[in-house]
Amino acid sequence: MKLAQLVGQRLKEAPREAGTPSHVYLLRGGYARPVAAGIFTLLPLARKVTAKIEAIIRREMNRIGGQEVLMPVVLPEELWHESGRASDVGAELLRFRDRNDKPMVLAMTHEEAVCQIARSEIFSYRQLPCMLYQIQRKYRDEARPRAGLIRVREFSMKDAYSFHASQEDLEHYYQQAHQAYERIFQRVGLTDVVSIQSDTGMMGGAVSHEFMALASCGEDTLLMSPDGSYRANREVATAAHSFSREEPLPLEKVHTPGKQTIEQVAEFLGADKQRTGKAVFYLDADKKLVYAMVRGDFEVNESKLRKHLGTLRLEPADEGAIRAAGAEPGYASPMDIAQDKARMVIDPSVAESSNLIVGANEPDYHYRNFNYSRDVKEAEIADIATVRPGDPCPVTGEPLLEKRGIEVGNIFQLGEKYSRPMQCTYLDEQGREKFLLMGCYGIGVGRTMAAVMEQSHDDYGPVWPMSIAPFQVHLCALNSRKPEVREAADRLYQQLQEAEVEVIYDDRNEKAGFMFSDADLIGAPLRLVVSPKTLAQGQVEFKTRDGSEKAMFEQEQAVAEICKRVEAALNYST
RNA sequence: CGGGACGUAGCGCAGUCUGGCAGCGCGUUUGACUGGGGGUCAAAAGGUCGCGAGUUCGAAUCUCGCCGUCCCGACCA
């Protein structure tokens, strides 16, 4: 391919909307163009990269017995009613009607569709286990797309679904999938990927892991022990706190005029925030009030709370709802909540501490010396506190580190979550009808490309690993109007093509710096430069994009060297 | 959905406060020179100033409404 004909202009300056490195280089390098918020066209460079990522995914899915299928993007909404998710998910699911006024949706994932196949095609334990996968587009009507291809509304995803006759078999396969994912991310060149415990969220199921590419622009927050033995999404992370108990002192009502926040109360009473209790009110999916309480120096973790409550939605409660349960906003007391009007969930940081300052349930008053076991009759105790960096690791006890990550993949043990409502059954050896046990496994393709860019770039552009580079070699002919340069470069171009090396050839009559800048933005791992200077020595210049190597070769040697390196880099073995 | 910023040529921006010919740099086209990190000179093409109303002799500029994009938060397999 000649660079002059490559569609996708390189830009000297980044468009204003681009913030993160991958977003900047996707736009500057001519990889992708925005069509609407969170909706992109992939230009040839990006499509070459994603095609290579997809090929790697296919190989690894096939290796663990995957069978590729292709399910539709447009699905009847009734399928989503069958699974029960039509009412669980909100506006992210784009719903519309077809010409016959039939309610339809754009698939945001394909559990329902694959269940429909499973129940019509899988009848016997003899067919199990099996796994179906596809690489297909998904649409999620995200409230806030961001960071280029990292969070988009329409995207390409590899999604896989496995079916099993037993929990043991599901768990065994889950391990295989986990290993396949590690191979995939290694092969695409992601250097910092960790699998972490995660929230199952709307997918449901018992066990799940997220694969996180560590990157500062990542939107997920991870907590890790320094030795890496504990890794969890902040949504589920726990800490091994120890709380000190003291002899309970008598309750004492104190005047705290106008002091509503923890900061104000603690400062006014000259106490540490650790000596206070913080009340936070929510409304669950049924609009029932939830009273959540953590120690004053903690924050309520809504993911953990949601999971504990078994609800998919939580919203902050307004003052009216709080008052309706007999609580005073700003001065809420855990002792005066009408039990039938609110669910009270108390974090161990409160339940296991002594003599805390809490609200007195009337304006401008707090209590000192609140003790959960003495002062509260009925409440649920659950870990609902957000873990902070520095908190003690639940495994090693060391201070936890906080990192940011891009979720490039995830795997779930779904069990019967979908097979039961959708009636996906098979007959076991005894002829009994049973529900299929399912696992599901996703990888975001475009997001993976962006994550590689985030992890592998310099000030001039992406530095692609050979395995997914849009081109393997960038050939520059400097001063190409000189016949000897053109002749030598043309010959190199031809030889490389004949050797089936993927080469981008820049024979434009441009200044060296201009051409090098374009080459940096395209990011091919190897570069050859032909110029009057190199030809004076009968040679061409060889460079690696990462700057680690530079050498002069005779032409034939150069071709041989390139072939050798391309082959070596792609010859992946496990 | 809450808060903030922005919308003028393909990209980056000035002009808007204080109404009066639509500008600059880069990129693109043509030619010459140049030749190892976005070069120089000359010429050229390229605009419903986000959209719609209104005020005015006159609106990119003032007023009202709408749309879009980005950032922070909420939300999110």
Side-chain angles (χ1 to χ4, degrees):
Chain A
M1 171 99 221
K2 286 198 179 185
L3 182 53
Q5 273 92 53
L6 179 68
V7 173
Q9 286 300 306
R10 271 76 56 205
L11 306 174
K12 187 167 183 175
E13 291 168 289
R16 188 180 18 212
E17 70 255 27
T20 61
S22 67
H23 196 183
V24 168
Y25 291 132
L26 282 166
L27 296 177
R28 279 197 57 202
Y31 289 81
R33 294 291 177 239
V35 177
I39 299 180
F40 287 84
T41 291
L42 298 188
L43 295 174
L45 283 178
R47 185 58 192 127
K48 282 173 180 291
V49 174
T50 57
K52 289 188 175 185
I53 293 172
E54 290 170 5
I56 288 171
I57 292 173
R58 279 197 177 89
R59 240 170 280 146
E60 295 296 340
M61 287 296 105
N62 292 341
R63 195 207 287 255
I64 58 169
Q67 305 177 49
E68 186 167 0
V69 295
L70 190 58
M71 293 180 272
V73 175
V74 175
L75 299 172
E77 190 183 27
E78 92 186 73
L79 263 185
W80 284 62
H81 285 297
E82 275 192 56
S83 71
R85 281 206 294 186
S87 53
D88 288 347
V89 300
E92 319 80 86
L93 180 63
L94 185 59
R95 304 165 207 238
F96 60 98
R97 284 166 185 270
D98 70 8
R99 65 192 299 159
N100 296 319
D101 209 32
K102 176 173 174 164
M104 309 294 280
V105 303
L106 287 187
M108 45 191 288
T109 173
H110 282 84
E111 281 75 18
E112 286 79 3
V114 84
C115 280
Q116 196 188 36
I117 294 304
R119 71 187 174 196
S120 76
E121 310 299 328
I122 300 176
F123 309 105
S124 162
Y125 72 95
R126 294 176 196 278
Q127 294 171 280
L128 300 175
C130 67
M131 185 267 266
L132 299 174
Y133 76 96
Q134 65 172 350
I135 297 175
Q136 172 63 303
R137 304 195 70 78
K138 305 277 184 277
Y139 186 87
R140 293 181 192 179
D141 214 7
E142 293 286 349
R144 188 156 92 82
R146 56 178 290 275
L149 291 185
I150 305 249
R151 179 154 219 92
V152 288
R153 292 196 291 180
E154 187 191 328
F155 58 101
S156 178
M157 175 176 175
K158 186 284 297 177
D159 48 322
Y161 307 88
S162 67
F163 302 93
H164 309 273
S166 71
Q167 178 64 25
E168 298 70 49
D169 195 52
L170 168 58
E171 284 171 17
H172 178 249
Y173 194 81
Y174 188 81
Q175 286 310 316
Q176 280 188 273
H178 193 287
Q179 286 161 18
Y181 270 41
E182 286 175 343
R183 284 195 297 271
I184 288 166
F185 293 124
Q186 186 187 338
R187 289 183 66 176
V188 300
L190 282 173
T191 49
D192 271 323
V193 178
V194 295
S195 69
I196 64 170
Q197 297 175 17
S198 62
D199 186 13
T200 53
M202 70 166 253
M203 297 298 293
V207 177
S208 70
H209 284 84
E210 291 169 333
F211 287 78
M212 290 286 180
L214 300 185
S216 58
C217 76
E219 45 189 359
D220 286 276
T221 303
L222 289 53
L223 288 139
M224 301 170 61
S225 61
D227 66 359
S229 61
Y230 178 78
R231 310 181 295 271
N233 195 313
R234 188 170 61 186
E235 293 177 345
V236 300
T238 59
H241 292 293
S242 54
F243 306 104
S244 61
R245 289 197 191 257
E246 302 163 4
E247 198 55 35
L249 300 172
L251 271 181
E252 175 191 343
K253 191 185 269 191
V254 289
H255 191 46
T256 51
K259 310 300 180 192
Q260 298 199 14
T261 68
I262 292 293
E263 281 74 19
Q264 290 167 348
V265 172
E267 193 193 345
F268 182 75
L269 296 178
D272 195 289
K273 283 199 287 184
Q274 292 186 19
R275 306 294 305 194
T276 68
K278 178 190 290 181
V280 186
F281 292 93
Y282 297 94
L283 294 176
D284 69 11
D286 304 325
K287 299 286 178 192
K288 179 161 184 183
L289 190 72
V290 176
Y291 179 123
M293 192 166 203
V294 295
R295 207 173 65 183
D297 56 322
F298 286 96
E299 300 294 330
V300 173
N301 185 319
E302 291 183 21
S303 302
K304 286 186 182 180
L305 182 58
R306 257 200 307 273
K307 192 164 193 168
H308 172 76
L309 295 170
T311 183
L312 283 168
R313 281 176 192 287
L314 272 186
E315 55 180 300
D318 53 47
E319 290 203 358
I322 297 172
R323 288 214 163 83
E328 178 62 31
Y331 302 91
S333 153
M335 288 164 284
D336 301 292
I337 290 291
Q339 293 293 336
D340 56 329
K341 293 195 178 125
R343 260 183 97 168
M344 194 179 336
V345 185
I346 307 274
D347 188 71
S349 61
V350 169
E352 296 175 20
S353 297
S354 306
N355 300 325
L356 297 177
I357 296 162
V358 300
N361 213 37
E362 63 180 276
D364 301 332
Y365 284 93
H366 282 77
Y367 283 123
R368 284 186 196 275
N369 304 327
F370 167 77
N371 289 275
Y372 169 77
S373 52
R374 179 189 67 192
D375 300 327
V376 174
K377 291 183 215 59
E378 199 182 342
E380 303 161 41
I381 298 179
D383 174 9
I384 54 167
T386 300
V387 173
R388 308 160 300 188
D391 282 349
C393 172
V395 176
T396 68
E398 293 177 280
L400 287 165
L401 302 173
E402 191 175 84
K403 310 239 180 197
R404 306 279 288 181
I406 301 165
E407 184 188 350
V408 286
N410 53 31
I411 57 180
F412 295 82
Q413 291 180 23
L414 296 173
E416 298 179 355
K417 157 94 179 173
Y418 295 91
S419 55
R420 185 178 284 270
M422 298 202 65
Q423 294 296 307
C424 301
T425 60
Y426 69 99
L427 295 180
D428 71 6
E429 286 133 300
Q430 280 80 44
R432 292 176 302 204
E433 188 172 43
K434 287 190 163 175
F435 291 114
L436 287 166
L437 294 175
M438 288 175 62
C440 79
Y441 317 89
I443 292 179
V445 176
R447 186 184 270 191
T448 297
M449 170 173 68
V452 174
M453 277 180 131
E454 289 293 335
Q455 286 190 354
S456 183
H457 67 269
D458 59 18
D459 291 345
Y460 306 100
V463 181
W464 291 114
M466 187 67 80
S467 60
I468 62 167
F471 293 98
Q472 294 159 344
V473 185
H474 196 112
L475 173 61
C476 284
L478 301 191
N479 209 344
S480 64
R481 280 205 295 200
K482 290 222 158 65
E484 70 272 23
V485 172
R486 168 154 298 280
E487 195 190 320
D490 279 355
R491 197 165 61 239
L492 268 173
Y493 179 46
Q494 199 187 336
Q495 287 170 332
L496 288 167
Q497 282 182 306
E498 280 165 7
E500 299 199 334
V501 170
E502 295 166 359
V503 54
I504 178 86
Y505 177 26
D506 190 355
D507 64 344
R508 299 172 301 172
N509 182 38
E510 297 287 352
K511 294 282 285 188
F514 187 89
M515 295 168 75
F516 291 157
S517 295
D518 274 357
D520 289 340
L521 284 168
I522 291 169
L526 304 177
R527 185 177 306 175
L528 285 180
V529 182
V530 183
S531 75
K533 219 167 77 179
T534 66
L535 289 178
Q537 309 163 55
Q539 293 182 314
V540 299
E541 183 188 86
F542 167 90
K543 273 172 100 168
T544 55
R545 173 65 182 84
D546 64 11
S548 63
E549 290 181 75
K550 192 170 168 177
M552 298 294 285
F553 289 118
E554 315 229 322
Q555 286 200 23
E556 309 300 324
Q557 265 184 305
V559 174
E561 181 69 20
I562 298 264
C563 290
K564 193 181 90 190
R565 283 172 182 260
V566 169
E567 210 169 309
L570 296 186
N571 195 357
Y572 177 90
S573 60
T574 43

